[in-house]
Amino acid sequence: MTQETLEPLDANRYRQAGVDIAAGQALVDAIGPLVRSTARPGATAELGGFGGVFDLREAGFEQPLLVATTDGVGTKLQLLAQSGQHQVAGFDLVAMCVNDLLAQGAQPLFMLDYFATSKLDPVAARAVIEGVVEGCREAGCALIGGETAEMPGHYRRGDYDLAGFAVGAVERARLLPRGDVGAGDVLLGLASSGVHANGFSLIRKVLRDQGLFLADPAPFAADQSLASALLVPTRIYVKSLLGLFEHEVVKAVAHITGGGLIDNLPRVLPDGVVARIDAGGWQASPLFLWLYEAARMTPDQMLRTFNCGIGMVLVVVADYADDVRRFLTEKGETVYRLGELVAGDGPARVRVDGIDG
């Protein structure tokens, strides 16, 4: 094709197809000051380049290992969008990623986000980024890049999706889980702030089956709406746990997400051990008790679907379990002694004593 055969470019043509480049650039310009507020040693948190740069030496690491995670918000996103709580969606995106970094003992360093929609709504998009920024500040990591994509025809109008990517670092000698995890170690659970961002496909089904709407009073708490009970931001545990990691009394950490206690805890345990958990070691909130009854689940199904009030499980040296519990309580965490590791046969597994089913 020669230059003479090219048609003159019509600046409106792409916009007519559903993509507004100017609106996207306006959003980038608008969120620039927010993003810069997440700057930390190692990253300036500036937007505009083709990639973000992080200086590990400036961040103070000597023999670092990089740890990378990626996650989303799942179908909780639909309920958040319906209720206009876009900022919670952004915050949850960070939480789901950085809490995974903690399972390796890693300090969150930087975050990137991906926002895709049918037609860019600058107000909703800015609120999402504000939530991402708030989460990054809470986690102490820099937001160093992202992508906004308008995809008309791929998403329904008004829908959007999010993906997050976080990178952390840990000194080689402090990588978790440690190699000496074994029988006798104590299991401590850190309370969740609610459902977090898992199990919402089932929650949405329960709402449909019972004819309930987010604005309705919660059946388990008349002074709360279902929206306020179900859409609580996911708790970020970074500030509490990073200080604890320095004392080297934590052997492993499990982030309790999809799969619950039953499937997530064995991921950080070696073969030949059983995580023996006492069901009476913590009290699930009325929200989880309602979900258990409304969805007509067995205890095992419940423990595999929801966090049931436990957002993180720590495997700690038995002699320091009480000290760890005091340390985390002073940091504002609610801590439960769930049980301990005992010797077993075959792959690592969880045994919950005190429940039927």
Side-chain angles (χ1 to χ4, degrees), residues 189-192 235 237 309-310 325 328-329 331-336:
L190 306 189
S192 67
R235 187 166 181 81
Y237 299 92
I310 301 295
R325 190 169 183 176
L328 292 172
T329 299
K331 291 289 185 179
E333 303 294 344
T334 300
V335 188
Y336 303 99

Side-chain angles (χ1 to χ4, degrees), residues 24-285:
Q25 185 57 50
L27 175 63
V28 171
D29 294 340
I31 65 176
L34 291 173
V35 172
R36 284 190 287 275
S37 73
T38 69
R40 53 151 293 158
T44 58
E46 289 285 347
L47 293 180
F50 288 95
V53 177
F54 195 95
D55 187 336
L56 286 168
R57 182 175 298 177
E58 184 181 321
F61 288 91
E62 297 178 0
Q63 294 188 2
L65 295 174
L66 291 179
V67 181
T69 64
T70 183
D71 213 331
V73 186
T75 57
K76 181 180 183 180
L77 199 57
Q78 293 188 20
L79 299 185
L80 290 168
Q82 289 172 21
S83 63
Q85 297 193 47
H86 307 293
Q87 194 162 341
V88 175
F91 189 92
D92 272 20
L93 186 67
V94 178
M96 296 302 289
C97 291
V98 299
N99 285 341
D100 276 353
L101 292 177
L102 294 173
Q104 309 290 154
Q107 175 188 150
L109 300 179
F110 58 87
M111 178 93 186
L112 300 97
D113 66 273
Y114 176 78
F115 179 100
T117 185
S118 61
K119 177 67 176 176
L120 185 63
D121 178 346
V123 175
R126 180 186 173 95
V128 169
I129 301 304
E130 287 175 345
V132 172
V133 166
E134 182 185 354
C136 285
R137 289 173 183 159
E138 178 69 20
C141 65
L143 179 60
I144 66 171
E147 174 73 6
T148 301
E150 281 187 291
M151 301 168 67
H154 188 73
Y155 293 98
R156 293 179 303 179
R157 190 170 184 87
D159 285 353
Y160 63 84
D161 200 7
L162 299 175
F165 314 90
V167 174
V170 56
E171 295 290 359
R172 187 177 301 270
R174 292 186 177 178
L175 182 68
L176 298 179
R178 283 170 32 179
D180 59 345
V181 173
D185 292 334
V186 170
L187 302 171
L188 297 180
L190 306 189
S192 67
S193 56
V195 184
H196 286 181
N198 296 107
F200 274 87
S201 292
L202 180 56
I203 288 173
R204 288 166 47 242
K205 183 178 187 304
V206 169
L207 296 181
R208 288 195 304 268
D209 290 348
Q210 299 204 1
L212 294 171
F213 297 91
L214 291 175
D216 291 339
F220 48 87
D223 60 337
Q224 273 188 301
S225 68
L226 276 167
S228 63
L230 292 171
L231 304 181
V232 177
T234 299
R235 187 166 181 81
I236 292 177
Y237 299 92
V238 172
K239 290 180 179 178
S240 298
L241 292 186
L242 284 185
L244 181 62
F245 291 161
E246 296 176 2
H247 299 285
E248 300 185 6
V249 294
V250 177
K251 293 187 175 185
V253 175
H255 182 198
I256 309 305
T257 56
L261 285 165
I262 303 298
D263 290 340
N264 282 292
L265 189 48
R267 295 170 63 183
V268 300
L269 302 178
D271 291 344
V273 299
V274 174
R276 192 204 67 77
I277 293 177
D278 179 6
W282 84 103
Q283 180 63 51
S285 71

Side-chain angles (χ1 to χ4, degrees), residues 3-18:
Q3 184 174 0
E4 287 76 16
T5 63
L6 292 175
E7 296 182 6
L9 178 63
D10 183 349
N12 293 321
R13 199 167 290 162
Y14 206 12
R15 186 182 305 114
Q16 291 166 355

